[in-house]
Amino acid sequence: NDIRGCSRGSLIVLEGLDRSGKTSQCGNLLAYLQGKGFSVEAWQFPDRSTSVGKMISAYLANESQLDDRTIHLLFSANRALMENKLKSGTTLIVDRYSYSGVAFSAAKGLNIEWCKAPEVGLIAPDVVVYLDVPPEKAAERGGYGLEKYEQLDFQGKVAEHYHNLLDSSWEIVDGSQSIESVERQLKDLAMHSILTCQRGKPLTNLWS
Ligand code: FDM
């Protein structure tokens, strides 16, 4: 059996605070898996290229004001359908997903069950990797930009909510290690997940 054959792809999600290293690690993982000959794409949420994504981007840049529930629902509406991609055999590496949606909105004080509700039924990831970096350490990494949520006290609250969300199915990777060491662990986790999906692991839905 050619392991690169046309069984379904894997949904690999990276989560973590701002500056935890998700975005660069997603890029490295993409290059690695492509080099191995897999059909793979890297996505990121929010996807700022869509019309909803542009509203989100303006909000994050403090160029527009929206109430907390409205922006939560926009983030939800921004999560594109992945099912067909996965079924066609493409693996998706996704930089942030519903867990960001819940952790960031809950950190503002919104009810957690309410935050999950619009995302019930989305495709569940095959593996969620949490890049664990203490908020203080993340803040030191080149400093934050100007976006709305890039503040130490707020990121501390987000970290608490991430920790409440994570369960035994998550893979926690210590993001304070060297880039190479994080990269090696991500490669192993991704390969394992891809092989499990190719062997027929069924797709499931979120928050059910
Ligand atoms: N964010 C991201 C949310 O608040 N909800 C969501 O559903 C998602 C996907 O948007 F501060 C927040 C997290 C982050 C900000 O994300 C922009 P990037 O990864 O920095 O683009």
Side-chain angles (χ1 to χ4, degrees), residues 113-135:
E113 294 310 314
W114 184 90
C115 291
K116 289 178 179 175
E119 320 249 340
V120 170
L122 281 187
I123 299 289
D126 293 297
V127 58
V128 184
V129 180
Y130 183 70
L131 273 189
D132 195 15
V133 176

Side-chain angles (χ1 to χ4, degrees), residues 18 44-46 48 60 75 79 96 100-101 104 147 149:
D18 288 286
Q44 98 182 72
F45 294 118
R48 299 180 192 230
L60 290 171
F75 274 114
R79 277 185 252 291
R96 296 192 185 284
S100 283
F104 281 77
E147 288 210 325
Y149 297 153

Side-chain angles (χ1 to χ4, degrees), residues 107-170:
K108 295 160 138 184
L110 293 185
N111 176 278
I112 293 174
E113 294 310 314
W114 184 90
C115 291
K116 289 178 179 175
E119 320 249 340
V120 170
L122 281 187
I123 299 289
D126 293 297
V127 58
V128 184
V129 180
Y130 183 70
L131 273 189
D132 195 15
V133 176
E136 296 74 20
K137 184 145 185 171
E140 286 166 10
R141 292 183 169 175
Y144 291 136
L146 296 170
E147 288 210 325
K148 200 170 184 83
Y149 297 153
E150 296 179 336
Q151 289 164 27
L152 182 54
D153 53 344
F154 184 69
Q155 296 278 324
K157 286 186 197 152
V158 174
E160 280 173 30
H161 283 281
Y162 268 129
H163 283 98
N164 293 337
L165 284 176
L166 61 87
D167 62 34
S168 58
S169 71
W170 287 37

Side-chain angles (χ1 to χ4, degrees), residues 63-83:
E63 286 161 7
S64 73
Q65 288 194 327
L66 295 168
D67 74 58
D68 292 343
R69 285 177 303 170
T70 303
I71 184 66
H72 180 82
L73 294 172
L74 289 179
F75 274 114
S76 262
N78 181 245
R79 277 185 252 291
L81 297 170
M82 303 165 157
E83 192 165 347

